[in-house]
Amino acid sequence: MANKKRDTALVLGTGGARGLAHIGVIQALEENNIPIDIITGTSIGALVGGIYAAGVKVSRMESIVSDVNKIMVAKILMPKLFAPGFIDNKRILDFIKDLVGNVKIENLKIPFAAVATDLITGEEVIFNHGLLSDALMASIAIPTIFQPVMNGGRILIDGGLSNPLPVSVALKMNAQTIIAVNVSPNPQRLTRKIKSKKNDEANSLIKKLPAMFLNFLNDEKLLPVNKKLLNGKNTQTDFQTYSPSMMNVFLQSISISTNNLMLQHLRYAKPDILIAPKIESYDLLEFFKGAEIIKRGYDETIKSLGAIELSVNRTGQQ
């Protein structure tokens, strides 16, 4: 199989809840008879791609996402104290196994590879064999949020820290046409989100979660203006009134490093088609807005359909 030329690869990138847009991308490709012969993914891209490669239909993924609400997300994300990650990996691993069972990657109908990162060496780790559930858990293990995953004598964390958009992996799998989906916002666009005011949904969530965890999840922390210092003058109000929370500092740091790394990778491994859904207005953990995010992926793929069809047809004629 290593020497067999395959036509179209779908490459799904990292991006937290924004990666639910990948479901919409797959739906649009399916509806328009665009073949998916290979799937590679990192983090949420690996999760969506791996579940799909295991035979889970898009309609079922949409149904699962539609059932997610803020309370469910809060329960899943409730911190586990005195552990190297806020979230108990077992909750997520059980969820994955409920969907894909004990299937091995080498037995999937669609050739698939997931990317994780070696915490000690920083090296990219490619999963192309073994239990699919283990590979997906390692690929999504965002540092400090999830606990690192022990696998094959290695300590593994999120693949976005080594290969955020694994086009290079698809090339190694002999793909001829590569459709890549970038759901990691440009850092400058994410900064505008950080500076925006809290919305009603955030205020509603505040009443339901422990205060310690809220400071971690909140979009921002409202800081009172020191009127004595300002002497009653309203100078630089936006800067002095609003300050990024711990979560936003963390997310912005991840966004900067991910985008810089992605640009470096794309210099040497370029896709034929790059789809970039407009998802920067959504936060990393806003899985309860899944229906909206899926639609963004679907709509952006439809816009790119002409270019996709040209690229796929050109490859098919070679």
Side-chain angles (χ1 to χ4, degrees), residues 168-188:
S168 58
V169 178
L171 289 171
K172 291 177 183 177
M173 296 173 73
N174 296 314
Q176 292 180 291
T177 299
I178 297 178
I179 303 168
V181 186
N182 175 20
V183 290
S184 182
N186 180 290
Q188 293 181 354

Side-chain angles (χ1 to χ4, degrees), residues 86-291:
F86 269 86
I87 302 171
D88 184 353
N89 288 11
K90 187 178 184 302
R91 301 174 192 168
I92 307 301
L93 187 58
D94 287 346
F95 166 76
I96 295 172
K97 286 183 176 180
D98 283 344
L99 287 172
V100 304
N102 292 317
V103 65
K104 291 187 175 182
I105 295 173
E106 55 266 38
N107 294 330
L108 297 173
K109 291 182 179 179
I110 302 175
F112 172 76
V115 176
T117 303
D118 188 309
L119 179 62
I120 305 303
T121 66
E123 294 174 326
E124 168 189 289
V125 178
I126 300 173
F127 282 90
N128 51 23
H129 64 278
L131 284 176
L132 176 62
S133 57
D134 288 348
L136 300 185
M137 189 67 246
S139 187
I140 67 173
I142 302 172
T144 73
I145 295 181
F146 290 101
Q147 300 163 44
V149 173
M150 294 295 298
N151 188 289
R154 289 185 165 193
I155 305 174
L156 303 177
I157 55 175
D158 191 288
L161 296 172
S162 58
N163 195 344
L165 190 63
V167 175
S168 58
V169 178
L171 289 171
K172 291 177 183 177
M173 296 173 73
N174 296 314
Q176 292 180 291
T177 299
I178 297 178
I179 303 168
V181 186
N182 175 20
V183 290
S184 182
N186 180 290
Q188 293 181 354
R189 293 178 182 176
L190 192 59
T191 299
R192 290 197 290 272
K193 169 71 175 177
I194 288 175
K195 291 181 179 178
S196 67
K197 294 183 179 180
K198 287 188 289 189
N199 56 32
D200 291 337
E201 290 179 331
N203 287 328
S204 176
L205 192 57
I206 285 174
K207 299 176 182 179
K208 298 181 175 70
L209 295 175
M212 181 186 74
F213 194 42
L214 287 174
N215 289 336
F216 184 74
L217 286 180
N218 262 349
D219 286 346
E220 59 191 19
K221 185 182 290 183
L222 185 62
L223 298 180
V225 178
N226 190 326
K227 294 183 179 180
K228 291 183 179 180
L229 183 62
L230 294 177
N231 292 321
K233 296 180 180 179
N234 187 22
T235 58
Q236 298 181 337
T237 302
D238 288 341
F239 176 78
Q240 291 165 330
T241 305
Y242 298 101
S243 176
S245 69
M246 179 172 68
M247 175 57 108
N248 269 321
V249 171
F250 173 70
L251 296 185
Q252 181 71 344
S253 301
I254 290 291
S255 178
I256 291 169
S257 61
T258 296
N259 275 272
N260 288 340
L261 184 57
M262 188 183 306
L263 290 174
Q264 290 298 318
H265 275 275
L266 289 176
R267 289 177 60 187
Y268 303 101
K270 297 181 180 180
D272 298 281
I273 303 293
L274 181 61
I275 300 172
K278 295 177 175 59
I279 39 67
E280 56 271 5
S281 61
Y282 298 97
D283 286 338
L284 181 80
L285 301 177
E286 287 187 321
F287 289 95
F288 50 86
K289 295 184 178 180

